[in-house]
Amino acid sequence: FFFQAEDGIRDKLVTGVQTCALPICALPLHLQVAGCEPRVWRRLVVRESMWLTQLHEAIQTAFDWYDYQTHAFIIDDLRYGNPLKRDELTVEDDRDFRLADLDLPRRGQIAYEYHFGEGWRIEIGVEEAGPPRKGARYPACVAGERAGPPEDCGGRSEEHTSELQSLAYLVCRLLLEKK
């Protein structure tokens, strides 16, 4: 599926069309990979009727990850993801909660952790909610900058960051040379 962004750029529709019988809000979410310089970010617009597991799928697509690793949403002192109960750690099943259940507009920010060994953390800021646009498909990735960290790349490190910056510089240079 594809959608036409407001700026005219075609992009992937992240996981499908959300439908709901009740009037529901569209939530613009600002996602940023924590600890990365230069900043790696995306703006997703979702319906608050979306299941939390669908938001996980949308994040995976937006950052070009393949869902090979464990994930969890961190909201206050609770974790949502693949269900787990071990010692003092409890992870609630993210398939059982809709975004509306979590009152995200009031919270303002949550976190998403992916690949616990490498420590990727996405800070998710909830921007001003509004009514869904007529004819729009959700979720939609409407903006962003820089490629997401590659799957299984070893996590954040100065060496990895400089390699990515060098690669980005090379790609930009090649593109400019073609013009």
Side-chain angles (χ1 to χ4, degrees), residues 89-130:
L89 176 65
T90 300
V91 179
E92 299 293 333
D93 192 338
D94 60 2
R95 296 172 296 182
D96 294 339
F97 296 90
R98 292 184 183 267
L99 299 182
D101 299 333
L102 305 172
D103 195 17
L104 295 183
R106 182 185 62 76
R107 292 180 191 285
Q109 189 162 5
I110 63 172
Y112 170 84
E113 292 181 347
Y114 181 62
H115 197 325
F116 301 150
E118 293 184 3
W120 295 114
R121 182 180 179 95
I122 308 289
E123 300 294 338
I124 303 173
V126 182
E127 298 175 349
E128 189 172 334

Side-chain angles (χ1 to χ4, degrees), residues 26-65:
L27 297 174
L29 304 175
H30 184 270
L31 291 73
Q32 182 171 323
V33 179
C36 282
E37 284 299 326
R39 293 179 337 128
V40 176
W41 64 274
R42 305 287 183 270
R43 177 167 290 114
L44 297 181
V45 182
V46 301
R47 286 185 183 254
E48 76 180 340
S49 60
M50 170 188 250
W51 295 99
L52 199 52
T53 191
Q54 291 173 308
L55 179 57
H56 158 69
E57 293 167 2
I59 292 169
Q60 290 288 302
T61 301
F63 286 97
D64 199 25
W65 290 334

Side-chain angles (χ1 to χ4, degrees), residues 38 146 162-175:
R146 296 181 187 76
S162 65
E163 285 174 10
L164 281 178
Q165 289 171 342
S166 297
L167 181 60
Y169 173 77
L170 179 61
V171 169
C172 288
R173 202 153 166 218
L174 289 172
L175 289 173

